[in-house]
Amino acid sequence: MAAKIWSTKKHKKILFKNSPCVVTLKDWDCLENDSLSQKGLSVLKNCDVLINDGFISDIGEDLLNKSENLGEIEIVDASKYVLIPGMIDCHSHPIFAGSRANETVLKSQGMTYEEISAKGGGIVATMKATRKVTTQELSELYKSNAKDSLARGIVILEAKTGYGLNPVQERKMLEALYEAHSGNDASELPLLCPTYLGPHAASPEYRGLDNYIQALVEDLPNIAALGEEAVKKGISFPLAADIFLERNYFTKEQSERWLGAALQHGLDVHIHSDEFSRSGGAELAAELARRLEQTASKRRQRGRVLTVDHCQYSTESDLGRLALLGVGAVALPTTSFFSKIPYVDAKRFRASGIKVAIGSDFNPGSSPMNNIWFSSYLALSQCGFSLSEVIAGVTINAAFALGLESTYGSIEIGKKAALVAFDGNSVEDFFSSLLGDHVRHVVV
């Protein structure tokens, strides 16, 4: 049974009545080193949640009889549903053309991601396919993926460019994202959190990575202006920037140049790093955060160092420094599953005190599965995260990873109305389906 999508732009007043288990996460940040328990999930039992004009306006028992001036209200019998905050996929590559299904076969035969890339596969293969399609075609391909995400409970989708690999083609990808969210069917999509990943791999038009970085930096004012215009139109959250800092890709010095320029233009930044080696991404994130005088208790509204993503080879001390500076980490276990590379170790993250989000890393090659539920299961079963850490990782910590924790990620009065209802009556029923087939209602 397909989930019912409730757009708060169309449905003004909604009451989810008598849920046996409402996972609010309102006290998650107050929990001190007890993430193995369910205490920080702040679960309420036999509870109603009232949504009014796009916000959560009340939480409690028997709200229908207690509330006044409700007017036209739509009631959902939630007596057989668990309610959790709307899920957030904070690391995804959902806009691309073409298929790399052959790489799944090659990896099953023992080839590594890096070996496939060296033979012309990987990111370059998707670049060639993506360049062949029009902006409108690319927008439609993205919408198909985004609608699938929303049906599984993703209310905010971080969407990276990165398959254009020159300034013109990367801009086309960004324009395709904005076009998708400007149409009449935008209410059928998750909210957009776009990330410009121009430096995803080498560009065939530029001799050397330094020259490509220079071209991207020179075009950055145009990209930043495009992002600002989209925010003014109300079609997306502010634009962020990212880079693939890894051996055989971009160096720490090149990454510093790109991310430094992005920060100067007011963009938040992420770093793909420490996936195949300890490549310096965590160190660079810490250096940039210190330069901004960023701390765990003081982050700017814009122009922040948000996350380091992948982190298989980040040390406990690397992660601890990031935690003190208000930088999060994003674990991407589905990539480990498909690419047969090590999983992150939850014990190391837990000991460091860093906020850990969990993303799908959905992309056509190294993680060809658009499903945050399966990523969550791998985080539990292969990485060693607790049930509470997993749920926080796709809600409140994922909101933190995108700089949106003040308005999204928990079920609290005054926060934006974003929640998921799935079959069950306890927190453990989060995993009654490993693919999200039990999702019945999504509010965005």
Side-chain angles (χ1 to χ4, degrees):
M1 183 172 68
K4 178 176 175 59
I5 308 301
W6 299 80
S7 169
T8 56
K9 292 181 180 179
K10 298 179 179 179
H11 304 273
K12 297 300 182 181
K13 295 180 181 179
I14 313 166
L15 178 68
F16 281 82
K17 187 172 177 57
N18 197 30
S19 168
C21 179
V22 179
V23 182
T24 71
L25 284 128
K26 72 180 184 67
D27 295 324
W28 183 257
D29 284 340
C30 301
L31 193 65
E32 295 183 2
N33 300 318
D34 191 24
S35 57
L36 293 176
S37 79
Q38 293 183 13
K39 180 181 178 182
L41 295 179
S42 301
V43 175
L44 300 176
K45 296 183 178 181
N46 303 315
C47 187
D48 300 349
V49 176
L50 178 62
I51 293 165
N52 198 342
D53 287 330
F55 292 88
I56 296 171
S57 62
D58 205 354
I59 305 169
E61 296 182 8
D62 199 23
L63 295 183
L64 189 61
N65 293 323
K66 294 179 181 178
S67 301
E68 299 178 356
N69 302 319
L70 288 178
E72 293 294 327
I73 185 169
E74 298 175 273
I75 300 174
V76 178
D77 178 4
S79 60
K80 295 182 180 180
Y81 300 141
V82 176
L83 305 185
I84 64 171
M87 299 170 78
I88 298 169
D89 192 346
C90 63
H91 184 124
S92 182
H93 305 254
I95 180 165
F96 59 86
S99 170
R100 282 157 53 192
N102 64 310
E103 294 182 15
T104 300
V105 177
L106 292 173
K107 279 180 274 193
S108 72
Q109 296 170 348
M111 286 189 71
T112 68
Y113 176 90
E114 292 171 291
E115 289 170 341
I116 291 170
S117 297
K119 292 182 178 293
I123 295 168
V124 172
T126 300
M127 175 205 73
K128 292 177 180 177
T130 301
R131 287 187 176 189
K132 290 179 181 178
V133 301
T134 66
T135 302
Q136 185 176 1
E137 289 170 333
L138 195 55
S139 183
E140 291 299 322
L141 289 167
Y142 160 75
K143 283 197 287 187
S144 177
N145 291 329
K147 288 176 181 179
D148 285 347
S149 294
L150 181 59
R152 296 189 184 97
I154 298 298
V155 300
I156 299 175
L157 180 62
E158 190 263 4
K160 300 181 189 292
T161 70
Y163 296 117
L165 299 186
N166 70 35
V168 172
Q169 293 291 330
E170 287 293 320
R171 196 179 314 135
K172 181 181 87 171
M173 294 192 72
L174 192 57
E175 289 170 345
L177 286 171
Y178 291 144
E179 181 178 303
H181 286 266
S182 301
N184 294 329
D185 58 350
S187 62
E188 300 173 18
L189 305 175
L191 302 175
L192 171 64
C193 203
T195 298
Y196 187 79
L197 181 56
H200 197 190
S203 170
E205 284 81 24
Y206 295 88
R207 186 182 295 274
L209 296 177
D210 286 332
N211 289 329
Y212 181 36
I213 289 289
Q214 178 62 28
L216 292 172
V217 169
E218 290 175 357
D219 195 46
L220 192 50
N222 299 320
I223 294 300
L226 193 61
E228 290 289 347
E229 185 63 25
V231 172
K232 289 178 182 177
K233 291 179 179 178
I235 59 177
S236 85
F237 292 109
L239 180 65
D242 199 347
I243 192 167
F244 194 6
L245 196 178
E246 190 54 83
R247 68 187 183 197
N248 301 322
Y249 290 88
F250 293 90
T251 66
K252 182 180 176 183
E253 292 72 26
Q254 291 161 343
S255 300
E256 181 177 8
R257 186 179 177 194
W258 166 247
L259 297 175
L263 288 166
Q264 287 179 352
H265 282 85
L267 275 63
D268 293 331
V269 300
H270 306 277
I271 308 178
H272 276 63
S273 193
D274 295 357
E275 180 181 7
F276 304 120
S277 63
R278 188 166 178 256
S279 50
E283 293 175 344
L284 176 58
E287 291 170 13
L288 292 171
R290 287 193 197 98
R291 200 176 299 169
L292 297 170
E293 298 183 348
Q294 176 177 312
T295 67
S297 59
K298 186 180 74 172
R299 293 206 303 180
R300 299 179 178 186
Q301 293 299 309
R302 295 282 301 278
R304 302 161 289 187
V305 183
L306 290 179
T307 64
V308 179
D309 301 33
H310 287 292
C311 300
Q312 279 93 328
Y313 290 92
S314 302
T315 66
E316 183 180 323
S317 60
D318 289 336
L319 298 170
R321 281 192 292 271
L322 294 179
L324 293 173
L325 293 165
V327 180
V330 180
L332 303 164
T334 317
T335 311
S336 297
F337 177 84
F338 282 106
S339 296
K340 298 186 176 181
I341 58 177
Y343 290 91
V344 299
D345 181 359
K347 292 180 182 177
R348 187 165 73 249
F349 286 76
R350 194 176 298 128
S352 74
I354 198 168
K355 294 180 187 294
V356 186
I358 298 163
S360 71
D361 199 15
F362 171 54
N363 70 75
S366 62
S367 184
M369 189 170 186
N370 185 15
N371 196 305
I372 198 70
W373 295 90
F374 187 62
S375 303
S376 299
Y377 170 69
L378 293 175
L380 179 84
S381 64
Q382 302 302 311
C383 303
F385 290 106
S386 69
L387 172 60
S388 297
E389 289 169 328
V390 169
I391 294 175
V394 295
T395 55
I396 190 65
N397 283 358
F400 179 85
L402 299 178
L404 301 173
E405 69 277 11
S406 64
T407 48
Y408 291 92
S410 60
I411 298 177
E412 298 183 66
I413 295 173
K415 277 201 168 183
K416 292 284 189 178
L419 61 83
V420 175
F422 57 82
D423 292 335
N425 55 34
S426 69
V427 177
E428 288 79 8
D429 286 319
F430 183 89
F431 284 116
S432 65
S433 168
L434 305 186
L435 299 177
D437 298 329
H438 56 334
V439 173
R440 296 292 173 252
H441 297 271
V442 181
V443 177
V444 61

